[in-house]
Amino acid sequence: MENIGIAEMSLGLVGLLFVLTVAFAGVAMAGRRGQPLPLVRARRVSALRSAVAVSIALAVFAVAILIHIANPLLELVPFFLGPLAAAAAGLIAFTLMPAPTIDGALRRRTSNVQPRTLRDYSTSGQRARFCVIVGLTALVAVGAGLLSKSAPDGRSLCTALFPAECKAGGPYLFPGWMFALPVLVLSCVLVLAAVQALRRVVDAPATAWAELSDADTALRRSGVRLVFRVASAPLALTLGLLLGMASLPLVNAPLLETGLDVNAAVTLHTIGMVLFGAAPVALVYGLTLAFLAVIGAIKLPRTASAGPRSELAE
């Protein structure tokens, strides 16, 4: 019942994020007076592209939650995989949709085709944080899998740190290979989708007009930041869920039938408390990135220089 309550709260969060997405998309696509028409068009395309990608991601996450509610024997696996699958689907949609350009550069032979790299539109901190969250999530997933063993029903749901044969589920539930393996697979899919999305943002032809180059750069930096946030948020959430789930049987080691002596049980209890304390940090970080991604997807950069008067929006 507790898991179902968490799932229902998550569905409510999905609904809230969807409402925010639609609201900010409407504001962004309305445009503002006094801006060059090419920039207004680019902003609208970018807003629509981001809104569609975020909406697809939210729909996939909602489906994962519904599967979790309908299939209790899967334990929390669909709930774990939901954020990763949602982000991967959103980034794939983001990549497949037409990239926004300031002046229709894709249709102009005079577009700026100067080679560009990810370093031109991102900071070292952004790249480092993304690599760290990917590495930590993979490390924790592999560690959980290696420290797991199968329950009597064959599912890898227990920790090998307990010598006694464990019972599947309940206070013994541990993120073994039943969780870790699909998490690793979907994490790889997500990283590949993020790489393709970043490449699409960076490689799109730039504006041919020098007076709009600042706006073009700002639009690309916004796109890169969005991709990093969308990819990092589910990884951080998954990391927090793995840490929190792994901590619970360890915290309860002194109370469970584990086959451990008192000292070993106390030691695992201490380790479990450390993991339990780290889990909320990762979860809050992931939720923060998720909200920033939804808002940042629609709240596009305002950087623009005024072009010829004939180009201004009426």
Side-chain angles (χ1 to χ4, degrees):
M1 294 297 295
E2 183 179 351
N3 290 339
I4 293 178
I6 295 175
E8 291 176 346
M9 289 178 58
S10 299
L11 281 177
L13 177 62
V14 169
L16 175 60
L17 291 175
F18 181 76
V19 171
L20 286 175
T21 299
V22 173
F24 280 103
V27 172
M29 295 180 69
R32 287 187 291 272
R33 293 181 177 275
Q35 286 189 332
L37 284 175
L39 180 60
V40 172
R41 289 192 293 268
R43 287 176 58 86
R44 288 174 176 170
V45 171
S46 187
L48 178 62
R49 183 192 193 197
S50 299
V52 170
V54 171
S55 298
I56 289 175
L58 293 175
V60 170
F61 187 37
V63 170
I65 295 173
L66 293 175
I67 293 175
H68 162 67
I69 295 175
N71 297 273
L73 288 179
L74 293 178
E75 299 293 347
L76 295 169
V77 173
F79 191 73
F80 267 65
L81 302 182
L84 295 173
L91 288 175
I92 291 172
F94 183 85
T95 302
L96 293 178
M97 293 183 70
T101 54
I102 295 297
D103 56 358
L106 288 172
R107 298 186 296 274
R108 291 177 177 267
R109 293 182 181 275
T110 55
S111 63
N112 183 346
V113 293
Q114 180 180 355
R116 293 173 295 275
T117 67
L118 181 60
R119 294 178 180 272
D120 297 325
Y121 304 108
S122 64
T123 66
S124 58
Q126 287 176 322
R127 298 190 297 271
R129 285 192 295 272
F130 180 65
C131 290
V132 168
I133 195 64
V134 170
L136 284 177
T137 304
L139 181 63
V140 171
V142 171
L146 293 176
L147 293 175
S148 68
K149 65 180 180 181
S150 297
D153 59 7
R155 295 180 298 169
S156 180
L157 294 173
C158 304
T159 175
L161 296 174
F162 295 171
E165 182 179 283
C166 71
K167 307 174 183 63
Y172 294 93
L173 188 62
F174 187 81
W177 287 118
M178 182 175 173
F179 291 86
L181 189 57
V183 163
L184 289 172
V185 172
L186 272 181
S187 294
C188 290
V189 173
L190 175 58
V191 170
L192 290 175
V195 169
Q196 291 302 317
L198 290 171
R199 182 177 299 173
R200 185 68 183 274
V201 173
V202 172
D203 291 346
T207 177
W209 309 110
E211 61 269 27
L212 293 176
S213 60
D214 287 344
D216 182 90
T217 298
L219 198 63
R220 291 173 190 271
R221 286 176 176 167
S222 175
V224 168
R225 183 171 61 249
L226 171 64
V227 172
F228 275 133
R229 285 175 175 173
V230 170
S232 298
L235 289 168
L237 291 173
T238 302
L239 175 61
L241 290 172
L242 287 172
L243 290 172
M245 187 175 177
S247 71
L248 293 180
L250 303 185
V251 169
N252 292 318
L255 305 176
L256 301 176
E257 297 177 2
T258 62
L260 296 168
D261 59 39
V262 176
N263 291 333
V266 171
T267 300
L268 288 183
H269 172 80
T270 302
I271 295 174
M273 291 301 297
V274 173
L275 297 179
F276 187 77
V281 177
L283 290 173
V284 170
Y285 180 63
L287 288 173
T288 301
L289 286 178
F291 275 105
L292 289 176
V294 171
I295 296 174
I298 313 303
K299 187 180 178 182
L300 300 175
R302 299 168 183 254
T303 304
S305 57
R309 291 299 300 177
S310 60
E311 289 284 295
L312 295 181
E314 298 178 356

